[in-house]
Amino acid sequence: MSQFPLHRPTWAEISLSALIENYRTLKRQLTGNAQLIAVVKANAYGHGAVECARALAEAGADWFGVALVEEAVELRQAGIKRPVFCLGGFWRTQGELILAHELTPALFRMDLAEELNARATEAGRIVNFHLKVDTGMGRLGVPFSNLIEFARALKQFDHLKLDGVMTHFADADGIETDYTESQIRRFEESVVMLRELGFQPTWRQAANSAGLHAFPNSHGNLARAGAAMYGLTRDVLSPRLTAPPLHPVMALKSRIVMLKTVPAGTSLGYGCSFTTKRESRIATLPVGYADGFRRTLSNKGRVIVRGQFAPIVGRVSMDLTMVDVTDVSGVQLGDEATLLGKQDNLKIVAEDLAEQIGTISYEIVTGISARVPRQYIPA
Ligand SMILES: *Cc1c(COP(=O)(O)O)cnc(C)c1O
């Protein structure tokens, strides 16, 4: 049964033991004694940032990574004491939050260095940051070609400490390795140049899930894992190499709230996009695109009921979805439907849904909306 007696029967199950096991599996893959940042941005990719971070902290996770300062503050307010790295840096007005919550930001803009230095000076504190170098992603970071000039200018800020160097890969999950290897070479050159300028960065971090998997020479002494830690693999890790044994952390479930037999020729749902070709048993599930069960799955996706696949028929609507259960023997009102996860011998993973609608598994799990309650299965 759903653990939410007052809630409609649609919920996500989050396996904290799978999460912790995945973290440990990934950490074991690291070369040397590299540490691992558990990336819990975007509400831990939809899995629940506070609950996931608490379980990971309990299991000894080294660092946490978030995109936004807001997300870091949420972790601190929930009692997370481990280092928190802000992958996307910070917004101008957030310097005081960096100080107040002892966060470690990525830094790549001179005006923000100046701002953070001013706040640190006022507080009489030294703030550690990791310099983000753009070695080929082209999104955030000091362009590799400007690095020396930028680093020299940083010397004027005596309340900032360049305690790490980071970069981010554009294509570590690809088939070809050349582009990533060129990013790794630029990253290594960056570290050398910074040391020659007198900086002594403690941390060198480059690898995301895909880099961690396919480029052991990119591990530095700190790697960052998001997707793989949540058990996403097929569209995350390079197909060149076999994936380590990682387990999906999220399952999505619902129950049949309407069950009926309709004659052949019955139209189902908005736009009359599906008409039954035979007498059919049609089940309605209280889940729709407002829950993150994507409308583009209309007439395409499937769910598992009583250990059998049941295809989605008609349009997925905001709150409701219909499935054809004609071939599911013994189907009853109230039966559980697995939209994501395992049931008996069948499973549907986020990568399957993503493939059906032309996106990646990241977008599937981060898209499961706030109105779907998360049920945490303890570690
Ligand atoms: C999100 C993010 C990661 C984590 O990437 P995964 O592919 O989910 O492991 C790592 N580094 C940066 C800079 C990110 O933005």
Side-chain angles (χ1 to χ4, degrees):
M1 273 307 280
S2 162
Q3 298 268 304
F4 303 98
L6 299 180
H7 198 282
R8 74 178 160 150
T10 292
W11 71 102
E13 287 175 9
I14 309 297
S15 167
L16 296 174
S17 56
L19 179 71
I20 287 162
E21 204 182 311
N22 291 345
Y23 182 88
R24 292 191 172 139
T25 298
L26 293 165
K27 180 141 185 197
R28 272 197 300 275
Q29 309 238 310
L30 296 177
T31 53
N33 285 323
Q35 294 198 0
L36 184 56
I37 299 180
V39 179
V40 294
K41 64 187 178 187
N43 197 30
Y45 292 43
H47 296 67
V50 166
E51 292 83 354
C52 290
R54 280 185 181 146
L56 286 161
E58 182 101 346
D62 304 312
W63 282 72
F64 292 100
V66 292
L68 312 178
V69 170
E70 293 87 324
E71 294 171 332
V73 171
E74 186 189 13
L75 296 184
R76 286 287 185 248
Q77 285 171 344
I80 299 296
K81 305 273 193 277
R82 303 296 302 165
V84 177
F85 182 68
C86 299
L87 300 154
F90 56 98
W91 178 243
R92 277 203 75 80
T93 53
Q94 296 177 320
E96 281 169 24
L97 290 172
I98 300 274
L99 276 144
H101 296 283
E102 301 193 39
L103 309 176
T104 308
L107 200 134
F108 44 85
R109 258 171 56 186
M110 198 54 66
D111 60 321
L112 295 176
E114 189 175 349
E115 169 67 21
L116 189 58
N117 185 65
R119 300 285 79 77
T121 306
E122 271 170 18
R125 298 246 307 274
I126 304 282
V127 174
N128 286 342
F129 70 91
H130 294 195
L131 184 65
K132 188 163 193 166
V133 184
D134 180 6
T135 57
M137 176 68 175
R139 193 175 63 172
L140 286 183
V142 178
F144 178 69
S145 56
N146 292 357
L147 180 61
I148 293 190
E149 191 189 351
F150 190 92
R152 284 209 176 103
L154 281 176
K155 295 236 159 186
Q156 66 186 295
F157 302 125
D158 53 5
H159 284 72
L160 299 184
K161 178 171 189 300
L162 191 159
D163 197 41
V165 191
M166 73 169 293
T167 196
H168 191 47
F169 295 138
D171 193 33
D173 59 331
I175 302 278
E176 301 292 330
T177 58
D178 292 5
Y179 198 80
T180 305
E181 292 293 357
S182 83
Q183 286 198 264
I184 294 170
R185 276 194 303 279
R186 283 179 166 185
F187 184 63
E188 286 168 351
E189 281 175 48
S190 302
V191 173
V192 170
M193 288 193 290
L194 289 165
R195 285 189 177 138
E196 280 170 359
L197 286 171
F199 293 99
Q200 295 175 307
T202 308
W203 301 104
R204 289 165 286 116
Q205 46 154 324
N208 53 359
S209 292
L212 193 162
H213 173 237
F215 297 90
N217 57 336
S218 75
H219 292 176
N221 60 2
L222 191 58
R224 309 183 293 271
M229 186 176 72
Y230 301 105
L232 310 176
T233 55
R234 206 164 72 218
D235 54 14
V236 173
L237 306 178
S238 171
R240 275 191 310 119
L241 304 163
T242 50
L246 298 164
H247 311 288
V249 174
M250 182 191 289
L252 181 64
K253 299 189 174 172
S254 189
R255 283 184 190 279
I256 297 173
V257 293
M258 173 94 198
L259 183 63
K260 60 187 178 291
T261 301
V262 300
T266 303
S267 170
L268 299 169
Y270 285 124
C272 305
S273 68
F274 185 91
T275 304
T276 53
K277 291 185 189 60
R278 56 175 179 174
E279 184 179 90
S280 305
R281 291 285 275 168
I282 301 298
T284 304
L285 306 173
V287 60
Y289 61 76
D291 302 299
F293 196 64
R294 302 274 296 268
R295 186 172 176 276
T296 38
L297 289 165
S298 298
N299 292 309
K300 256 190 203 167
R302 55 190 188 178
V303 306
I304 310 169
V305 179
R306 288 190 181 250
Q308 289 207 62
F309 286 119
I312 294 171
V313 286
R315 296 258 168 87
V316 171
S317 55
M318 189 182 293
D319 318 302
L320 297 163
T321 296
M322 282 173 280
V323 296
D324 183 342
V325 291
T326 313
D327 299 325
V328 177
S329 57
V331 66
Q332 283 184 21
L333 192 66
D335 276 356
E336 188 170 302
T338 299
L339 288 71
L340 202 55
K342 255 196 219 159
Q343 199 192 97
D344 298 345
N345 296 321
L346 300 182
K347 68 175 175 182
I348 298 171
V349 294
E351 292 92 319
D352 297 328
L353 298 191
E355 196 175 304
Q356 278 173 322
I357 62 172
T359 185
I360 53 176
S361 55
Y362 295 74
E363 203 184 12
I364 299 295
V365 291
T366 58
I368 301 303
S369 73
R371 84 176 191 182
V372 177
R374 271 68 169 167
Q375 178 183 331
Y376 293 91
I377 302 166

